[in-house]
Amino acid sequence: GKVKIYKTVKAQELWDSICEAAWRSAEPGLHFLERSNKRSNTWYFEKLICTNPCGEQPLGAWSVCNLGSMNLVSYVTNGGEFDYQSLASDARVAMRFMDNVVDANFYFYEENLEAQKNIRRTGLGTMGLGDALIKMKVKYGTSQSLEIIDKIYKTIRDNAYDESANIALEKGPFPKFDRDKFLEGHFIKRLPKAIKEKIAKNGIRNGVLLTQAPT
Protein backbone atom coordinates (compact mmCIF):
# COMPACT_ATOMS: atom_id res chain seq x y z
CA GLY A 1 0.00 0.00 0.00
CA LYS A 2 0.90 3.67 -0.22
CA VAL A 3 2.99 5.12 2.60
CA LYS A 4 1.30 8.03 4.36
CA ILE A 5 3.69 10.56 5.91
CA TYR A 6 2.34 12.28 8.99
CA LYS A 7 5.46 14.09 10.08
CA THR A 8 9.17 14.21 9.29
CA VAL A 9 11.62 14.47 12.17
CA LYS A 10 15.34 15.14 12.12
CA ALA A 11 17.37 12.04 12.99
CA GLN A 12 19.53 14.09 15.35
CA GLU A 13 16.50 15.33 17.30
CA LEU A 14 15.16 11.79 17.62
CA TRP A 15 18.57 10.51 18.75
CA ASP A 16 18.88 13.32 21.30
CA SER A 17 15.46 12.56 22.78
CA ILE A 18 16.33 8.83 23.00
CA CYS A 19 19.55 9.70 24.86
CA GLU A 20 17.74 12.17 27.10
CA ALA A 21 15.08 9.56 27.98
CA ALA A 22 17.76 6.93 28.69
CA TRP A 23 19.59 9.35 30.98
CA ARG A 24 16.37 10.41 32.75
CA SER A 25 15.21 6.85 33.46
CA ALA A 26 18.69 5.35 34.04
CA GLU A 27 17.80 2.73 31.43
CA PRO A 28 20.52 2.78 28.77
CA GLY A 29 18.59 0.54 26.42
CA LEU A 30 17.16 0.83 22.95
CA HIS A 31 14.91 -2.10 22.11
CA PHE A 32 14.07 -3.14 18.55
CA LEU A 33 10.84 -5.04 19.15
CA GLU A 34 10.50 -6.20 15.54
CA ARG A 35 13.94 -7.84 15.71
CA SER A 36 13.08 -9.44 19.06
CA ASN A 37 9.98 -11.00 17.54
CA LYS A 38 11.89 -12.36 14.55
CA ARG A 39 14.68 -13.81 16.71
CA SER A 40 12.75 -15.08 19.71
CA ASN A 41 12.62 -18.83 20.43
CA THR A 42 8.85 -18.32 20.71
CA TRP A 43 8.56 -16.59 17.30
CA TYR A 44 5.97 -19.06 15.98
CA PHE A 45 3.31 -18.60 18.65
CA GLU A 46 3.98 -15.54 20.84
CA LYS A 47 3.90 -11.85 19.99
CA LEU A 48 6.40 -9.96 22.13
CA ILE A 49 4.93 -6.62 23.15
CA CYS A 50 7.18 -5.20 25.89
CA THR A 51 10.01 -6.01 28.27
CA ASN A 52 10.13 -6.47 32.02
CA PRO A 53 10.97 -3.30 34.04
CA CYS A 54 14.76 -3.62 33.63
CA GLY A 55 14.53 -4.21 29.90
CA GLU A 56 16.40 -7.51 29.62
CA GLN A 57 13.52 -9.86 28.86
CA PRO A 58 11.13 -9.29 25.93
CA LEU A 59 7.70 -10.66 26.88
CA GLY A 60 4.34 -11.43 25.33
CA ALA A 61 1.03 -10.46 26.91
CA TRP A 62 0.79 -11.82 30.48
CA SER A 63 4.16 -13.56 30.12
CA VAL A 64 6.55 -13.75 33.04
CA CYS A 65 10.10 -14.97 33.54
CA ASN A 66 12.11 -16.07 36.53
CA LEU A 67 15.67 -14.82 36.43
CA GLY A 68 18.83 -16.23 37.92
CA SER A 69 22.34 -14.80 37.90
CA MET A 70 25.50 -16.86 38.23
CA ASN A 71 28.26 -15.01 40.07
CA LEU A 72 31.26 -15.34 37.76
CA VAL A 73 33.73 -14.11 40.40
CA SER A 74 33.28 -17.34 42.33
CA TYR A 75 34.60 -19.37 39.38
CA VAL A 76 38.00 -17.69 39.36
CA THR A 77 40.55 -19.73 41.31
CA ASN A 78 43.08 -18.16 43.66
CA GLY A 79 45.62 -18.71 40.92
CA GLY A 80 43.56 -16.51 38.57
CA GLU A 81 42.28 -19.33 36.36
CA PHE A 82 38.63 -19.66 35.33
CA ASP A 83 36.93 -22.92 36.32
CA TYR A 84 34.79 -23.69 33.25
CA GLN A 85 33.99 -27.20 34.46
CA SER A 86 32.27 -25.98 37.63
CA LEU A 87 30.42 -23.33 35.65
CA ALA A 88 29.16 -26.03 33.26
CA SER A 89 27.80 -28.28 36.00
CA ASP A 90 26.32 -25.33 37.95
CA ALA A 91 24.52 -24.07 34.81
CA ARG A 92 22.79 -27.46 34.67
CA VAL A 93 21.79 -27.29 38.35
CA ALA A 94 20.55 -23.73 37.81
CA MET A 95 18.34 -24.81 34.89
CA ARG A 96 16.73 -27.55 36.97
CA PHE A 97 16.29 -25.15 39.88
CA MET A 98 14.68 -22.46 37.72
CA ASP A 99 12.45 -24.95 35.93
CA ASN A 100 11.21 -26.07 39.35
CA VAL A 101 10.58 -22.43 40.29
CA VAL A 102 8.06 -22.23 37.41
CA ASP A 103 5.90 -24.75 39.29
CA ALA A 104 6.73 -23.64 42.84
CA ASN A 105 5.93 -20.00 42.15
CA PHE A 106 2.74 -18.24 43.18
CA TYR A 107 0.90 -16.47 40.35
CA PHE A 108 -1.38 -13.56 41.20
CA TYR A 109 -3.23 -13.77 37.90
CA GLU A 110 -4.55 -16.85 36.13
CA GLU A 111 -3.29 -15.37 32.84
CA ASN A 112 0.29 -15.26 34.18
CA LEU A 113 0.02 -18.87 35.29
CA GLU A 114 -1.26 -20.01 31.92
CA ALA A 115 1.35 -18.06 29.93
CA GLN A 116 4.21 -19.34 32.09
CA LYS A 117 3.06 -22.96 32.16
CA ASN A 118 2.84 -22.89 28.33
CA ILE A 119 6.37 -21.51 27.84
CA ARG A 120 8.23 -22.26 31.10
CA ARG A 121 10.42 -19.21 30.41
CA THR A 122 13.60 -18.90 32.44
CA GLY A 123 16.36 -16.31 32.29
CA LEU A 124 19.69 -17.70 33.36
CA GLY A 125 22.37 -15.02 33.24
CA THR A 126 25.44 -13.74 35.04
CA MET A 127 26.79 -11.09 37.37
CA GLY A 128 30.33 -10.05 38.26
CA LEU A 129 31.94 -10.34 34.83
CA GLY A 130 34.04 -7.20 35.35
CA ASP A 131 35.21 -8.38 38.77
CA ALA A 132 36.04 -11.85 37.43
CA LEU A 133 38.27 -10.32 34.74
CA ILE A 134 40.00 -8.10 37.34
CA LYS A 135 40.63 -11.19 39.46
CA MET A 136 42.14 -12.88 36.39
CA LYS A 137 44.20 -9.74 35.65
CA VAL A 138 42.66 -9.46 32.18
CA LYS A 139 41.78 -6.06 30.74
CA TYR A 140 38.18 -5.77 29.58
CA GLY A 141 37.88 -5.27 25.81
CA THR A 142 41.18 -6.89 24.85
CA SER A 143 41.20 -9.85 22.47
CA GLN A 144 42.17 -12.07 25.42
CA SER A 145 39.10 -10.89 27.35
CA LEU A 146 36.83 -11.53 24.36
CA GLU A 147 38.04 -15.12 24.10
CA ILE A 148 37.34 -15.70 27.79
CA ILE A 149 33.91 -14.02 27.63
CA ASP A 150 32.99 -16.07 24.56
CA LYS A 151 33.95 -19.29 26.32
CA ILE A 152 32.05 -18.36 29.50
CA TYR A 153 28.80 -17.69 27.68
CA LYS A 154 29.11 -20.68 25.35
CA THR A 155 29.63 -22.85 28.43
CA ILE A 156 26.45 -21.50 30.04
CA ARG A 157 24.44 -21.67 26.80
CA ASP A 158 25.42 -25.21 25.82
CA ASN A 159 24.95 -26.72 29.27
CA ALA A 160 21.64 -24.92 29.88
CA TYR A 161 20.14 -26.01 26.56
CA ASP A 162 21.48 -29.55 26.88
CA GLU A 163 20.08 -29.88 30.40
CA SER A 164 16.69 -28.46 29.41
CA ALA A 165 16.52 -31.14 26.71
CA ASN A 166 17.39 -33.76 29.37
CA ILE A 167 14.59 -32.47 31.63
CA ALA A 168 12.18 -32.64 28.66
CA LEU A 169 12.88 -36.36 28.43
CA GLU A 170 11.96 -36.79 32.11
CA LYS A 171 9.06 -34.35 32.47
CA GLY A 172 7.99 -33.44 28.92
CA PRO A 173 8.72 -30.38 26.78
CA PHE A 174 7.03 -27.01 27.29
CA PRO A 175 3.42 -27.30 25.97
CA LYS A 176 3.85 -24.88 23.05
CA PHE A 177 6.90 -26.78 21.75
CA ASP A 178 6.70 -27.50 18.02
CA ARG A 179 9.83 -29.37 16.99
CA ASP A 180 10.14 -28.21 13.38
CA LYS A 181 9.32 -24.59 14.13
CA PHE A 182 11.41 -24.39 17.29
CA LEU A 183 14.47 -25.72 15.45
CA GLU A 184 13.99 -22.97 12.85
CA GLY A 185 14.55 -20.31 15.55
CA HIS A 186 17.30 -17.74 14.94
CA PHE A 187 19.39 -18.73 17.97
CA ILE A 188 18.49 -22.42 17.91
CA LYS A 189 20.01 -22.78 14.45
CA ARG A 190 23.32 -21.54 15.91
CA LEU A 191 23.49 -24.20 18.64
CA PRO A 192 26.02 -27.05 18.37
CA LYS A 193 24.78 -29.94 16.20
CA ALA A 194 24.61 -32.47 19.07
CA ILE A 195 22.34 -30.18 21.11
CA LYS A 196 20.04 -29.54 18.15
CA GLU A 197 19.80 -33.31 17.64
CA LYS A 198 18.95 -33.82 21.32
CA ILE A 199 16.23 -31.16 21.12
CA ALA A 200 14.84 -32.82 17.99
CA LYS A 201 14.72 -36.14 19.85
CA ASN A 202 13.63 -35.10 23.37
CA GLY A 203 12.04 -31.71 22.88
CA ILE A 204 13.07 -28.98 25.31
CA ARG A 205 11.63 -28.18 28.72
CA ASN A 206 11.88 -24.37 28.53
CA GLY A 207 10.84 -22.17 25.60
CA VAL A 208 13.32 -19.45 26.58
CA LEU A 209 16.36 -20.20 28.75
CA LEU A 210 18.87 -17.36 28.97
CA THR A 211 18.88 -13.63 29.54
CA GLN A 212 21.46 -11.06 30.51
CA ALA A 213 20.09 -8.76 33.18
CA PRO A 214 21.86 -5.46 33.98
CA THR A 215 23.52 -6.95 37.08
Side-chain angles (χ1 to χ4, degrees):
K2 214 170 165 213
V3 175
K4 188 174 179 184
I5 297 170
Y6 289 93
K7 189 182 175 186
T8 305
V9 292
K10 277 195 157 72
Q12 190 180 347
E13 284 171 17
L14 183 62
W15 180 245
D16 285 349
S17 63
I18 287 168
C19 294
E20 173 74 24
W23 171 80
R24 213 171 37 237
S25 63
E27 174 50 72
L30 184 57
H31 185 201
F32 298 98
L33 200 54
E34 189 182 4
R35 184 188 295 174
S36 278
N37 272 289
K38 280 181 186 156
R39 295 184 172 191
S40 171
N41 288 1
T42 62
W43 65 272
Y44 60 92
F45 67 87
E46 183 185 41
K47 187 189 178 195
L48 303 171
I49 58 169
C50 64
T51 71
N52 66 331
C54 290
E56 69 270 22
Q57 185 63 252
L59 297 165
W62 295 103
S63 282
V64 293
C65 180
N66 65 68
L67 304 174
S69 285
M70 306 188 73
N71 183 4
L72 296 175
V73 182
S74 55
Y75 295 97
V76 183
T77 65
N78 290 334
E81 294 295 310
F82 196 89
D83 183 356
Y84 293 100
Q85 217 173 337
S86 292
L87 181 71
S89 60
D90 288 355
R92 290 178 182 271
V93 174
M95 269 320 293
R96 283 191 174 268
F97 177 82
M98 292 168 73
D99 183 63
N100 288 336
V101 169
V102 171
D103 298 317
N105 204 358
F106 176 78
Y107 298 87
F108 290 97
Y109 297 102
E110 194 60 40
E111 292 93 337
N112 289 141
L113 172 69
E114 192 189 345
Q116 182 59 322
K117 287 290 170 80
N118 274 331
I119 300 169
R120 307 191 67 84
R121 187 185 246 111
T122 65
L124 182 60
T126 62
M127 60 195 267
L129 174 63
D131 290 333
L133 290 171
I134 289 167
K135 214 171 155 187
M136 295 162 81
K137 296 186 169 57
V138 174
K139 189 179 175 184
Y140 182 82
T142 58
S143 56
Q144 189 194 358
S145 80
L146 295 179
E147 268 176 50
I148 292 164
I149 291 165
D150 223 30
K151 194 171 174 185
I152 287 171
Y153 289 99
K154 274 185 178 146
T155 301
I156 294 170
R157 179 197 67 183
D158 294 353
N159 285 279
Y161 270 89
D162 194 77
E163 193 60 23
S164 187
N166 288 341
I167 304 168
L169 187 63
E170 297 165 32
K171 302 180 181 180
F174 71 97
K176 292 275 190 186
F177 177 72
D178 176 317
R179 183 171 56 204
D180 295 343
K181 286 177 178 166
F182 188 82
L183 289 167
E184 275 302 303
H186 176 83
F187 293 108
I188 305 307
K189 286 198 279 199
R190 292 159 66 173
L191 289 172
K193 189 165 177 272
I195 297 175
K196 283 190 283 192
E197 283 169 0
K198 190 182 270 195
I199 292 169
K201 192 172 158 223
N202 295 3
I204 195 161
R205 180 69 170 164
N206 311 92
V208 178
L209 293 85
L210 310 172
T211 203
Q212 186 54 53
T215 42

